[in-house]
Amino acid sequence: MEPNNHTRVTEFIMQGLFDHPHHQELFFGLFLCLYTAILMGNSLIIVAIVFHPPLHTPMYFFIANLATVNIMCSSSVLPKMIKNLMQERKSISFDGCMVQLFAFTLSGGTELVLLTVMSYDQYVAICHPLCYVNLMTKRICISLIIGVWAVSAINSLVHTLLIVRLDFCRPNFIQHFFREIPPMLALSCSSIYFNKIMISIANLFLAMGNFLLTTVSYGFIITTILKIQSSKGKQRAFSTCSSHLLLVTLFYSSIIYTYIRPPSSYSLDKDKMVAIMYTLVIPTLNPLIYSLRNKEVKVAFRKILSFMIK
């Protein structure tokens, strides 16, 4: 046996998003504009919900939390990625890597559980409208949100601590443009047995569990909508949940492709495109999806903009 002479890795070098240098400046401007749009759009959603009383409902309470998660997810990845686009040496310190890993895992887990809670809210609103006021009280909604953030924080903390305990060998080159768990495990020169166990548990209970709960909720919702006699009633019921259904489809498509698939299908370029989807595209679309189809949100936006102009 050779003695264990591993040197502690103090920083990681990232591959970056694009291999061709002449693309860097173009995408620097594009991603900076999109990141600004994410911050402004989601912040505007939060402000509108907080200061416009007609939006003080359970659904918009959850949407405000979703907007917060969108900001956290993008802010954990995009500022460093945008900075690295203009740098030849794309590096991040070990401590900075762990902070980014925790924040990104926290935002991803929170969105996963939050979408399930929002599916339940849609289920109660459409399938049991007469009981909605009693089933979705302010106290219950706050308890649900506390549970969402608590579960996600514990999950993220466990995964991050399990990464911290690993030994990392050189080359310290991450084949990605930000820090995710799979690329980090690939660099470890110590046992990742417990990490794999925790990933399997998270996939089973968090990913698959929430996916099944969401699917069951929408199964009941679709069944209830199909039983509605009038076409106008069906259209109104479907419009209530269509925005959320679109977000669920986009989110789970990227999650399933990234994490729940055989290792033999791994492709770095495809993984980068999917990562852009859930760190850049989805957070940009969320405010548009929830605002363009809702009159009350549009009214709140107009009030905010008129106040800012004054």
Side-chain angles (χ1 to χ4, degrees), residues 73 76-77 100-108 178 180 259 278-279:
C73 177
S76 67
V77 174
Q100 187 185 77
L101 184 68
F102 175 82
F104 179 76
T105 309
L106 173 62
S107 60
F178 70 98
E180 269 192 304
Y259 296 104
Y278 61 74
T279 58

Side-chain angles (χ1 to χ4, degrees), residues 40-89:
M40 293 181 63
N42 285 282
S43 297
L44 194 59
I45 285 281
I46 296 171
V47 172
I49 292 171
V50 170
F51 291 101
H52 191 56
L55 299 180
H56 293 176
T57 64
M59 182 180 74
Y60 288 105
F61 175 64
F62 298 138
I63 291 174
N65 278 269
L66 181 62
T68 303
V69 172
N70 290 333
I71 293 173
M72 179 187 297
C73 177
S74 298
S75 297
S76 67
V77 174
L78 293 180
K80 185 65 177 177
M81 186 192 77
I82 292 171
K83 180 182 177 182
N84 283 340
L85 282 173
M86 302 305 293
Q87 292 182 332
E88 185 175 348
R89 190 172 187 271

Side-chain angles (χ1 to χ4, degrees), residues 39-260:
L39 294 180
M40 293 181 63
N42 285 282
S43 297
L44 194 59
I45 285 281
I46 296 171
V47 172
I49 292 171
V50 170
F51 291 101
H52 191 56
L55 299 180
H56 293 176
T57 64
M59 182 180 74
Y60 288 105
F61 175 64
F62 298 138
I63 291 174
N65 278 269
L66 181 62
T68 303
V69 172
N70 290 333
I71 293 173
M72 179 187 297
C73 177
S74 298
S75 297
S76 67
V77 174
L78 293 180
K80 185 65 177 177
M81 186 192 77
I82 292 171
K83 180 182 177 182
N84 283 340
L85 282 173
M86 302 305 293
Q87 292 182 332
E88 185 175 348
R89 190 172 187 271
K90 301 169 175 43
S91 64
I92 185 172
S93 67
F94 181 86
D95 292 338
C97 183
M98 294 302 107
V99 170
Q100 187 185 77
L101 184 68
F102 175 82
F104 179 76
T105 309
L106 173 62
S107 60
T110 303
E111 184 167 2
L112 185 69
V113 185
L114 181 57
L115 288 174
T116 304
V117 171
M118 294 174 72
S119 299
Y120 172 72
D121 175 67
Q122 298 288 332
Y123 161 75
V124 176
I126 294 174
C127 300
H128 304 283
L130 298 179
C131 303
Y132 185 83
V133 176
N134 295 326
L135 291 175
M136 300 301 294
T137 63
K138 182 178 180 179
R139 183 176 180 180
I140 291 175
C141 291
I142 292 174
S143 299
L144 286 171
I145 283 299
I146 291 174
V148 166
W149 285 96
V151 168
S152 304
I154 292 171
N155 173 67
S156 181
L157 183 62
V158 168
H159 283 296
T160 305
L161 291 177
L162 286 174
I163 293 288
V164 169
R165 57 175 273 281
L166 298 177
D167 293 320
F168 293 96
C169 307
R170 297 184 182 277
N172 54 341
F173 184 75
I174 299 177
Q175 292 188 327
H176 215 310
F177 63 90
F178 70 98
R179 274 57 58 195
E180 269 192 304
I181 293 175
M184 294 295 297
L185 294 182
L187 294 179
S188 174
C189 50
S190 55
S191 174
I192 58 174
Y193 176 74
F194 290 109
N195 299 78
K196 289 182 175 179
I197 290 178
M198 288 308 302
I199 289 173
S200 298
I201 293 174
N203 284 342
L204 179 63
F205 289 99
L206 275 182
M208 294 304 298
N210 282 283
F211 177 74
L212 288 174
L213 288 173
T214 302
T215 303
V216 169
S217 295
Y218 271 99
F220 283 116
I221 289 171
I222 293 171
T223 302
T224 302
I225 292 176
L226 292 176
K227 290 180 180 179
I228 299 174
Q229 299 295 325
S230 66
S231 58
K232 184 177 289 187
K234 287 182 180 180
Q235 185 178 1
R236 182 178 179 183
F238 182 75
S239 65
T240 302
C241 63
S242 59
S243 298
H244 180 258
L245 183 59
L246 177 58
L247 291 181
V248 167
T249 303
L250 290 172
F251 181 78
Y252 274 106
S253 297
S254 59
I255 290 295
I256 290 172
Y257 180 86
T258 305
Y259 296 104
I260 309 173

